[in-house]
Amino acid sequence: MSRRTRSQAAQAAAPTTVHIPRQRGRRRQAPPVIIVVSEQPTWTARATVATGRFMWHRRRAWAPTGVAVGLLVVAAILHLFAPWTGLVVAVTGLAPLGYLAWMAKTRPASQTVWAWRISLAALALAGLGWLALALWFGPLSAALMGLWSLTALTVQILWLTVGRFAAKGSN
């Protein structure tokens, strides 16, 4: 067998060549040798796999971002099928203010605790307000995407900061 044949897909996938020497000393022709070369993944596939592995190994740290993206998708779907749900969410958007009033009556605390409570209530109010507006006007409007990005970034930073302080405090 003086030459070996390859399909076009194999030539495009693997630029390396394999030399197969001639078979000597036999009168009968030997059966052809077929070499299967697996395709190398593209750079896009490699980057996707690397990103997926990174996100999977650090899934607990990136939980707020995952929740924010999930909320964005849910808001887009609900806006398409039932935009009136924005009115329902707008009414429930007052819950963080009720939470602060209830905590003020039942559990007095220090200034630091109150700062955290007010910060978390403000973030919840911003999130529920965004959801109500996104359900009514659509989540892909420019102002709502900016507010979504700002809120998601703020919550992610707080999540990572609180997690770091909690880890240092437990040692």
Side-chain angles (χ1 to χ4, degrees):
M1 183 165 112
S2 63
R3 286 186 170 196
R4 77 179 169 94
T5 59
R6 280 210 263 174
S7 68
Q8 289 288 23
Q11 287 178 357
T16 58
T17 58
V18 178
H19 177 68
I20 301 174
R22 278 188 203 192
Q23 302 293 320
R24 297 184 187 170
R26 293 189 182 180
R27 300 269 174 183
R28 292 179 36 200
Q29 196 164 7
V33 176
I34 299 173
I35 298 175
V36 178
V37 180
S38 64
E39 286 190 40
Q40 296 293 323
T42 63
W43 285 104
T44 306
R46 288 181 184 184
T48 303
V49 168
T51 303
R53 283 187 183 148
F54 174 80
M55 295 299 283
W56 180 254
H57 289 300
R58 290 157 183 84
R59 63 188 178 272
R60 189 173 290 176
W62 289 96
T65 302
V67 170
V69 170
L71 189 63
L72 182 69
V73 171
V74 167
I77 292 171
L78 276 176
H79 171 70
L80 287 176
F81 294 113
W84 56 268
T85 54
L87 297 173
V88 175
V89 174
V91 172
T92 61
L94 300 175
L97 299 176
Y99 168 77
L100 279 178
W102 178 68
M103 290 302 272
K105 258 187 168 180
T106 59
R107 295 193 175 178
S110 66
Q111 281 186 329
T112 307
V113 173
W114 271 106
W116 276 104
R117 286 178 185 172
I118 291 172
S119 299
L120 291 176
L123 282 173
L125 189 63
L128 288 171
W130 175 86
L131 183 60
L133 291 171
L135 289 174
W136 190 256
F137 295 110
L140 299 180
S141 65
L144 290 177
M145 280 304 292
L147 183 62
W148 176 83
S149 300
L150 185 66
T151 306
L153 183 65
T154 304
V155 170
Q156 182 65 48
I157 290 171
L158 280 175
W159 181 268
L160 293 173
T161 305
V162 169
R164 184 170 298 164
F165 285 141
K168 284 183 181 178
S170 64
N171 287 337

